[in-house]
Structure formats: C-alpha cells, structure tokens
C-alpha cells in the first residue's frame, strides 16, 4: 500500500484498492472503530477520484456501515443501509 502510494500517488485507483484491502483486514481482526475511520477516509477519496455512483464507492459505503453495525450502533447502520439501498436503486435504474 505504501509503495503504491509512493509510486502511483495516494489517490491512484490501485492505491485505493490496496487501502481497501488493508482496511478490510483491520476490520477482520476486530478493530471496527479503526476500520470505520479508514473506510470513511477511503470513501471520501473514492468519491473524489471515481465518483459517488461507482460500484467500488458503493461497496466502500457498505463496508463502512457494516463496521458501524459491528460496533453495536445498529440503528445508525440500519438507517445508513436503507439510504444506501435507495441510492443504489436510483443509480441502477439510471444505468
């Protein structure tokens, strides 16, 4: 991840992919708060680089919300998931 950022730049799509898998590993190890922060930062970068409708941006939003739920904030996650589902429905209909 650090090598890609150094060579390709911090917001190159391949660097963002490396960040995604690193953050996912952090969450898999049980540090949901750190994973949530990582996904939030990655989400902002993906929106800037590939846009809010891109499937990788939508996947990042989903993973962010899953880490919110895993911290016990299920009501917040459920509302976010409902918003995400409605957004995805609009995006898919437009395509």
């Amino acid at each position: 991840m650090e090598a890609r950022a150094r060579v390709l730049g911090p917001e190159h799509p391949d660097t963002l992919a490396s960040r995604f898998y690193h953050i996912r590993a952090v969450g898999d190890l049980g540090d949901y708060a750190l994973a949530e922060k990582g996904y939030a930062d990655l989400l902002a970068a993906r929106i800037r680089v590939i846009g809010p409708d891109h499937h990788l941006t939508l996947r990042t939003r989903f993973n962010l919300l899953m880490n919110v739920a895993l911290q016990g904030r299920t009501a917040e996650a459920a509302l976010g998931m409902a918003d995400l589902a409605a957004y995805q429905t609009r995006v898919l209909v437009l395509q």
Side-chain angles (χ1 to χ4, degrees), residues 6 15 18 24 27 31 33 36 40 43 50 60-61 67 69 71-72 77-79 82-83:
R6 187 177 58 256
T15 304
S18 292
R24 191 170 81 177
D31 195 339
E36 178 187 358
L43 179 61
I50 58 179
T60 303
R61 284 180 64 183
N67 279 272
Q71 293 175 79
L79 287 173
D83 289 343

Side-chain angles (χ1 to χ4, degrees), residues 11 39-49:
E11 293 194 345
Y39 280 124
D41 292 343
L42 179 60
L43 179 61
R46 282 193 160 162
I47 288 171
R48 278 192 306 277
V49 174

Side-chain angles (χ1 to χ4, degrees), residues 46-47 50-58 61 87-88 90-92 94-95:
R46 282 193 160 162
I47 288 171
I50 58 179
D53 299 346
H54 194 281
H55 70 95
L56 295 175
T57 304
L58 298 173
R61 284 180 64 183
Y87 186 85
Q88 286 177 308
R90 283 193 304 278
V91 167
L92 292 172
L94 293 175
Q95 292 181 1

Side-chain angles (χ1 to χ4, degrees), residues 26-37 66-68 70-71:
V26 167
D28 288 347
L29 291 170
D31 195 339
Y32 307 127
L34 185 58
E36 178 187 358
K37 167 85 170 82
M66 287 301 298
N67 279 272
V68 168
L70 289 167
Q71 293 175 79

Side-chain angles (χ1 to χ4, degrees), residues 1-22 42 46:
M1 180 177 70
E2 292 172 6
R4 279 186 170 179
R6 187 177 58 256
V7 173
L8 301 173
E11 293 194 345
H12 186 279
D14 291 346
T15 304
L16 297 179
S18 292
R19 285 177 59 190
F20 177 86
Y21 289 114
H22 176 260
L42 179 60
R46 282 193 160 162

